[in-house]
Amino acid sequence: MSEAPIIDAPQTLEGHYVLHDIYAVSWSFWQAQPSAEREAVIGEASTWLQDVAGVGETHSALYSMLGQKGELMFLHYRKNVDALNRTERSFRRLRLYNYLRPVYSYFSVIEASLYEATAIAQRKAAEKGAKPGSAAYDEVFTEVMAKECKVLEARVFRSIPDQRYICFYPMSKRRGEQFNWYALSIEERRSLMRGHGKLGHKFSREVTQVVCGSIGLDDWEWGVSLHSANPLAIKRLVTEMRFDPASSRYAEFGPFYFAIRQQPDDLGTLLAGGLA
Ligand code: 76R
């Protein structure tokens, strides 16, 4: 019997915990309210968005959604799970919450995979003439990894990109009979991710991607957010990715959500059915 190949799980670096929180509005109930009630509700919610959640600052954002999958999306980045949950719970105590219906949420954590960083650290350790497994090898490896992680830290603890449009979708890597991501060697996965990164990089000026890992946190394996001032740049990027093997062979997608960035002051206009 041949030995099973050794499949290494990739190392990752995690940053902010992320919640995509999507609601529909109970319009008939909302519109049946006297205008004084509606004003009070909007006032309380706008203040919460600005002062508590910090919408319009760096780590929370409000979006108006396209289509019937939802109407308002709140996006929160927080330093830890408990802070994220505190934000959720204080949101549920707002009077506005009585007029909303939860439709979808996604919990994840910003992630940088260390495929490249580990390759660099292995190369540098080998260049020093150290043998894998030796103390000298481990020392160089650990030192280079620490440096690489320092650079990546700013990316995983980033603020919410402020471009006007967001496209969010959860995805997993395929585990089919013919194509199984999890049965590939780390070198094969690294090479596919290299091709993926190279293709993606062509769009780096127009589209900001935030890849969040959600294995063990939510239903899919990753949550992808693409932020851009140009909706068609998002469409073109996702189209090109479909032809790249990391996606064409190995990606499975969940529902797509598309939305437009709003400021806390826009909430009143949005709930009046007006144009923000
Ligand atoms: O982070 C980096 O910039 C380094 C290279 C890179 C990695 C490791 C990278 C670059 N991505 C990485 C990891 Mn990505 N990405 C997606 C999607 O729609 C689809 O087909 C897939 C959804 C898009 C559109 C996209 C865009 N990426 C990942 C991972 C984790 C995989 C793992 O660890 O096994 C997923 C699930 C994923 C999905 N990616 C880029 C982009 C873009 C635009 C870039 C270039 C960023 C830049 O250079 O600024």
Side-chain angles (χ1 to χ4, degrees):
M1 224 171 72
S2 65
E3 267 184 50
I6 296 164
I7 307 292
D8 287 322
Q11 291 189 52
T12 51
L13 182 74
E14 280 76 20
H16 280 134
Y17 286 86
V18 175
L19 185 70
H20 292 75
D21 205 17
I22 300 178
Y23 295 88
V25 178
S26 298
W27 285 108
S28 51
F29 183 36
W30 173 247
Q31 273 157 350
Q33 302 307 311
S35 62
E37 161 73 3
R38 284 191 272 163
E39 271 166 37
V41 168
I42 289 168
E44 185 199 42
S46 301
T47 306
W48 182 87
L49 287 170
Q50 205 132 37
D51 299 348
V52 181
V55 168
E57 290 170 28
T58 51
H59 297 321
S60 284
L62 167 67
Y63 294 88
S64 166
M65 303 195 63
L66 277 288
Q68 296 181 0
K69 288 172 180 163
E71 293 177 68
L72 300 175
M73 178 167 82
F74 300 88
L75 175 58
H76 304 293
Y77 288 4
R78 292 291 183 272
K79 277 228 152 59
N80 56 52
V81 175
D82 298 55
L84 201 53
N85 189 235
R86 271 198 299 279
T87 303
E88 279 189 280
R89 284 185 285 123
S90 80
F91 179 65
R92 289 182 195 137
R93 284 197 296 268
L94 294 179
R95 286 160 71 185
L96 174 67
Y97 198 76
N98 299 327
Y99 302 98
L100 301 179
R101 280 180 288 117
V103 285
Y104 192 73
S105 67
Y106 204 79
F107 170 46
S108 57
V109 57
I110 301 181
E111 173 189 289
S113 60
L114 299 176
Y115 283 118
E116 286 308 323
T118 38
I120 293 168
Q122 280 164 351
R123 204 184 57 231
K124 292 210 169 143
E127 274 167 15
K128 291 256 151 91
K131 284 220 165 57
S134 68
Y137 184 97
D138 285 352
E139 196 184 314
V140 183
F141 184 86
T142 312
E143 195 184 304
V144 178
M145 281 303 276
K147 265 198 208 135
E148 293 292 323
C149 287
K150 199 97 217 113
V151 176
L152 289 172
E153 224 159 68
R155 287 226 330 246
V156 296
F157 283 108
R158 59 159 309 135
S159 52
I160 294 179
D162 56 11
Q163 287 102 322
R164 185 160 175 80
Y165 302 101
I166 182 174
C167 168
F168 165 73
Y169 51 103
M171 63 172 287
S172 293
K173 287 288 169 84
R174 185 165 293 147
R175 271 167 286 169
E177 274 178 31
Q178 197 188 354
F179 294 117
N180 183 342
W181 179 256
Y182 293 91
L184 299 177
S185 69
I186 194 156
E187 285 77 23
E188 287 169 304
R189 279 175 281 128
R190 181 181 291 132
S191 147
L192 283 160
M193 287 321 293
R194 212 169 264 167
H196 164 91
K198 216 164 147 198
L199 195 166
H201 196 64
K202 286 201 302 187
F203 291 84
S204 62
R205 283 230 308 258
E206 262 198 306
V207 182
T208 305
Q209 45 93 246
V210 181
V211 171
C212 296
S214 47
I215 295 180
L217 303 183
D218 214 322
D219 297 344
W220 297 77
E221 292 165 356
W222 285 276
V224 178
S225 289
L226 306 172
H227 302 257
S228 180
N230 177 3
L232 292 182
I234 293 175
K235 179 175 182 286
R236 273 195 294 276
L237 164 60
V238 178
T239 305
E240 287 212 22
M241 285 289 172
R242 294 284 159 110
F243 290 92
D244 181 71
S247 293
S248 64
R249 290 188 191 148
Y250 295 105
E252 314 258 7
F253 299 103
F256 279 63
Y257 296 90
F258 203 97
I260 309 172
R261 183 81 178 253
Q262 310 291 319
Q263 294 304 317
D265 287 353
D266 298 330
L267 189 67
T269 321
L270 288 171
L271 291 175
L275 296 175

